[in-house]
Amino acid sequence: MNIDEKCINTIRCLAIDAVEKANSGHPGTPMALAPAAYVLWMEHLRYNPANPKWFNRDRFILSNGHASMLQYAILHLTGYKITLDDIKNFRQWGSNTPGHPEYGLTPGVEITTGPLGQGLMNAVGMAIAEAHLAAVYNTKEQKIIDHNTYVFCSDGDFMEGASHEAASIAGHFGLGKLIVLYDDNHITIEGNTSLTYSDDVAKRFESYHWHVQNLGDKGNDIKAISDAFENAKNETTKPSLIILRTHIGYGSPNKQDKPEAHGSPLGAEEIKLVKKFYGRPEDKFFWVPDDVKEHMKVTIEKGRALEEKWNKEFEEYKKSNPELAKQLNDSIKQVLPEGWDKEILVYNQAGGQKATREISSDVINAVAKNIPWLMGGSADLEPSTKTLIKSSGYFEKGKYENRNMGWGIREHLMCAASSGMSAHGGIRPYASTFFIFTDYARPAIRLACIMKLPVIYVMTHDSIGLGEDGTTHQPIEHLASLRAIPNMLVIRPSDANETAYAWRAAMQNTKGPTMLVLSRQKLPIIDRNKYASSEGLMKGAYILSPEQSKIPDVILIATGSEVQIALEAGQELQKEKIDARVVSMPSWELFRMQEQEYRNKVLPPEVKNRIAIEAAFPQGWCEWVGDSGKVIGIPKFGTSAPYQEIYQHYGITVKDIVSISIKMVRK
């Protein structure tokens, strides 16, 4: 047995043993893909195990994340800080080797994968980021940004509709540094893929304008695989797909090419037979032969040399391009420069009513002047979401330096690729569509929250206020459901100046995604000479209009367009001798972050008469109004009509608020 075979079989056996010890996992795919992983890490992938975050490294995405032990085994053997004990603790509490790869937990893991298709979409975002940064920062003399994004995909990835969105836009943009290996093993959980799947994958990807190589049944032919990677690297005008027929559970006499090898341990007796086939001792577990260690540790010195060479090149680059070098460093660190928000306007009533989506457009362009790494766009809705950076064109093939992303009607891809752009580094991405269409992107948004990626979602048409488009386009349950996702910061501003501060909060939030929920309809600009400063938004909730006495009779709490209704109701209540406090509460999450003393100041515990007003499903508001409070919301779907009429029919009016307040106070 030659050293290559020994290394490949070591990868396989580490995966088999880890899954068996955990009594949980997927051994079959690591057994099949070990040769491809070995060739990629040893011959093609540019990385430094001692510094997994070296910026000009190649990125690797395991989109078929159930095969995580393949990645953990290869990372361990090539010198990353993953010990043999970590491998033994696969899928255990507190380990850095979880069931699916997780961003920020395991060195060498670039993105969280598991839900199929997500990794491929993330990789498209990473390839976009590389293309953009290369276009902005490279010069004729110095290619300071120059790396590939590699992806391993499965049948399941390609069955998911997400893969069509990803492949379509990658081919359209000509992302030549995106290289995908398709593990064509013909097996899913229910059986052979012939049950549900007969795509001609080569023709499909050729129609997407990809460079396609079909290696056929050469899953163990490391020279053929290596040559295919080399060919893919040499094709710079198209993304590349390598189709590789493999055999799941390779070497297992009873489970090869069967679904039993996909999602459960092989079992002790079968493992003995497999190890015998591999020429390994049957009674040795988690065994890494010395010659394998010696052979594969060359990657450590190789990686150090690669980064050292790049660092020297970057030092020369800084001398000849000091401004670009500083900008690149700043973009990688994502530190907001002093005065980054100085161009943001302050709005007054003289300007008339403004939709908060319009103000968001102003802010995007004001911020873009001082943050050159702000980049984003919409799912074919820019004329409505108003997210264009006016000083730039659209990112297109041959125009990668531009900052506006036209995603087409691909909400899922837009949000997943934005996560990839964020995880890649050097870019602060934003993604925009109608609020209702977060439904199309929910899996990607959830994963961004898991990874705590600071993607900014600019979601417009926030409520029944969009009017005539009707039930299908009016978000009702969306605020409640998005507030329920951990690490998500949801902000629904009430007017122009709150919107300006909402963008400030979003830009300063580095601990997870921010969702700005903006109106289609025009809203009054609140008179800040009469009412509290909009800077209160930064604390999530603030007293917009205080009571006249020491203690309010009732507290009216509202978000977004309903804040104006609450203000008017508060004025009417004064005529009824009811002293109302009006609280603007644009962000529950920001408010929760405040000290209890401040929260008690805004919502005094002794005041039980509280009414929340929001044109959305009422769920969750009991946290703020308590058992004695009331919620004026919408527990049913919307309807098609002018928005003023919908508000009236659904009981979100000054009259309704006043009536409920009177009953509450005078009971």
Side-chain angles (χ1 to χ4, degrees):
M1 184 185 300
N2 63 38
I3 190 61
D4 293 329
E5 288 180 273
K6 265 193 171 184
C7 293
I8 290 166
N9 288 337
T10 299
I11 295 167
R12 287 167 165 155
C13 288
L14 285 175
I16 291 168
D17 290 343
V19 171
E20 188 68 21
K21 183 175 185 294
N23 195 30
S24 173
H26 301 70
T29 299
M31 294 162 73
L33 276 180
Y38 172 76
V39 166
L40 179 59
W41 256 266
M42 295 299 289
E43 297 183 16
H44 298 281
L45 201 67
R46 292 164 49 87
Y47 59 96
N48 181 6
N51 181 15
K53 294 297 184 182
W54 167 42
F55 194 71
N56 200 42
R57 69 192 181 279
D58 288 338
R59 271 65 169 176
F60 172 79
I61 315 303
L62 187 69
S63 193
N64 48 337
H66 53 268
S68 57
M69 263 313 307
L70 173 70
Q71 188 167 10
Y72 301 149
I74 196 77
L75 290 173
H76 167 67
L77 293 170
T78 52
Y80 285 83
K81 290 184 179 178
I82 297 176
T83 66
L84 207 54
D85 283 338
D86 294 328
I87 300 292
K88 293 176 182 178
N89 284 324
F90 177 55
R91 289 186 167 227
Q92 303 309 301
W93 179 269
S95 75
N96 67 353
T97 50
H100 293 82
E102 293 189 20
Y103 171 84
L105 178 64
T106 311
V109 169
E110 301 285 0
I111 206 85
T112 296
T113 59
L116 293 174
Q118 293 289 327
L120 178 58
M121 293 190 292
N122 297 147
V124 169
M126 290 187 176
I128 287 171
E130 193 280 341
H132 174 72
L133 295 173
V136 172
Y137 296 106
N138 288 351
T139 66
K140 290 181 179 179
E141 296 78 23
Q142 295 168 295
K143 283 190 175 182
I144 207 66
I145 304 296
D146 184 17
H147 52 265
N148 295 309
T149 300
Y150 293 90
V151 190
F152 281 5
C153 281
S154 65
D155 294 305
D157 286 292
F158 283 0
M159 289 185 198
E160 288 286 356
S163 69
H164 294 263
E165 294 187 26
S168 173
I169 205 163
H172 177 73
F173 285 150
L175 300 175
K177 289 184 173 291
L178 177 63
I179 301 170
V180 177
L181 184 140
Y182 166 38
D183 176 28
D184 181 21
N185 67 30
H186 294 196
I187 295 295
T188 57
I189 290 173
E190 288 194 30
N192 194 284
T193 53
S194 61
L195 286 168
T196 60
Y197 181 63
S198 55
D199 295 14
D200 187 327
V201 173
K203 287 183 178 178
R204 174 183 155 190
F205 275 76
E206 285 168 357
S207 76
Y208 289 139
H209 312 297
W210 283 56
H211 171 239
V212 178
Q213 302 173 78
N214 193 340
L215 302 189
D217 196 351
K218 293 187 177 181
N220 290 303
D221 188 337
I222 59 175
K223 183 180 187 308
I225 297 168
S226 184
D227 288 346
F229 279 129
E230 195 64 38
N231 292 338
K233 288 191 293 185
N234 290 334
E235 173 51 72
T236 59
T237 64
K238 296 179 180 180
S240 287
L241 177 70
I242 301 168
I243 302 174
L244 184 66
R245 171 74 170 103
T246 68
H247 296 273
I248 195 168
Y250 174 77
S252 174
N254 298 301
K255 296 186 178 182
Q256 179 175 316
D257 290 329
K258 294 181 180 179
E260 288 81 3
H262 178 71
S264 57
L266 296 178
E269 293 306 312
E270 190 71 11
I271 288 174
K272 289 180 182 178
L273 298 175
V274 171
K275 288 185 177 179
K276 183 178 180 180
F277 176 82
Y278 291 157
R280 306 262 300 191
E282 298 173 17
D283 58 347
K284 285 195 175 184
F285 302 93
F286 301 100
W287 179 50
V288 181
D290 289 340
D291 54 349
V292 169
K293 292 178 186 176
E294 194 68 23
H295 179 73
M296 294 192 70
K297 77 177 186 181
V298 298
T299 56
I300 298 172
E301 178 56 31
K302 181 181 175 183
R304 185 200 62 76
L306 282 170
E307 183 179 0
E308 188 176 87
K309 180 175 181 290
W310 184 83
N311 287 337
K312 289 179 180 177
E313 290 171 354
F314 191 56
E315 287 301 315
E316 292 301 314
Y317 178 85
K318 285 195 288 188
K319 293 175 184 176
S320 52
N321 304 279
E323 291 184 8
L324 279 177
K326 182 182 184 306
Q327 182 176 304
L328 177 57
N329 266 328
D330 288 348
S331 73
I332 292 170
K333 294 175 183 176
Q334 295 279 293
V335 176
L336 297 173
E338 186 177 350
W340 68 272
D341 60 346
K342 63 185 178 183
E343 307 286 341
I344 297 177
L345 300 175
V346 176
Y347 298 86
N348 57 50
Q349 292 176 301
Q353 297 190 1
K354 301 281 187 182
T356 54
R357 63 172 176 166
E358 296 179 66
I359 304 305
S360 174
S361 175
D362 292 349
V363 179
I364 286 171
N365 282 280
V367 172
K369 291 179 182 179
N370 300 309
I371 308 292
W373 56 89
L374 182 68
M375 180 179 182
S378 80
D380 195 54
L381 288 169
E382 192 285 319
S384 291
T385 62
K386 302 187 182 302
T387 43
L388 189 73
I389 296 176
K390 296 174 183 177
S391 60
S392 179
Y394 276 91
F395 180 97
E396 297 179 64
K397 187 174 183 178
K399 298 179 181 178
Y400 296 143
E401 71 279 4
N402 289 331
R403 300 162 66 186
N404 289 301
M405 292 302 307
W407 294 108
I409 306 164
R410 303 182 182 96
E411 292 88 356
H412 198 179
L413 178 277
M414 171 181 70
C415 290
S418 294
S419 291
M421 293 163 72
S422 179
H424 177 280
I427 291 172
R428 186 68 185 276
Y430 63 88
S432 182
T433 185
F434 292 174
F435 191 36
I436 190 78
F437 297 142
T438 53
D439 286 344
Y440 284 101
R442 187 65 59 95
I445 292 170
R446 181 177 186 269
L447 282 169
C449 290
I450 289 174
M451 293 184 276
K452 300 181 180 179
L453 294 173
V455 179
I456 299 172
Y457 304 113
V458 184
M459 299 299 173
T460 69
H461 297 56
D462 67 335
S463 71
I464 57 170
L466 66 88
E468 293 84 349
D469 277 344
T471 311
T472 61
H473 280 52
Q474 292 169 3
I476 300 299
E477 73 278 21
H478 295 70
L479 279 167
S481 65
L482 285 157
R483 286 168 176 157
I485 304 177
N487 304 326
M488 172 63 81
L489 172 58
V490 179
I491 310 177
R492 186 175 182 236
S494 67
D495 78 337
N497 291 304
E498 273 199 4
T499 303
Y501 275 103
W503 259 102
R504 288 184 172 95
M507 290 297 296
Q508 292 173 28
N509 177 29
T510 59
K511 297 181 179 179
T514 301
M515 184 163 288
L516 304 177
V517 185
L518 308 172
S519 76
R520 175 200 189 192
Q521 75 273 29
K522 295 181 182 296
L523 302 178
I525 295 174
I526 295 169
D527 185 353
R528 298 297 169 170
N529 293 317
K530 181 178 180 182
Y531 299 109
S533 168
S534 53
E535 190 174 358
L537 176 138
M538 303 298 284
K539 293 187 175 181
Y542 62 104
I543 302 169
L544 181 60
S545 176
E547 64 281 3
Q548 295 182 352
S549 56
K550 289 185 178 180
I551 298 292
D553 296 320
V554 64
I555 301 176
L556 306 180
I557 314 167
T559 77
S561 49
E562 290 75 71
V563 170
Q564 183 62 37
I565 300 172
L567 278 174
E568 293 174 18
Q571 294 168 358
E572 290 299 313
L573 285 169
Q574 294 295 343
K575 298 175 184 177
E576 297 289 336
K577 308 299 184 185
I578 292 176
D579 201 2
R581 170 184 291 187
V582 178
V583 170
S584 177
M585 194 175 201
S587 176
W588 295 9
E589 296 80 18
L590 287 174
F591 190 56
R592 286 196 195 103
M593 294 176 193
Q594 307 310 311
E595 297 290 339
Q596 190 63 51
E597 182 182 0
Y598 176 78
R599 285 187 281 163
N600 288 346
K601 182 180 178 182
V602 176
L603 299 175
E606 64 271 20
V607 181
K608 306 298 183 184
N609 293 332
R610 302 180 186 182
I611 301 173
I613 307 106
E614 187 172 66
F617 198 81
Q619 185 173 332
W621 273 107
C622 59
E623 179 179 358
W624 311 114
V625 301
D627 293 340
S628 302
K630 300 286 185 183
V631 182
I632 299 175
I634 304 177
K636 55 185 176 181
F637 290 117
T639 190
S640 178
Y643 77 87
Q644 298 91 338
E645 292 183 34
I646 304 176
Y647 271 86
Q648 183 177 349
H649 284 288
Y650 279 43
I652 305 176
T653 67
V654 171
K655 180 181 177 182
D656 289 292
I657 298 170
V658 169
S659 175
I660 292 171
S661 298
I662 290 172
K663 290 177 183 177
M664 180 180 282
V665 172
R666 295 175 180 169
K667 61 186 175 183

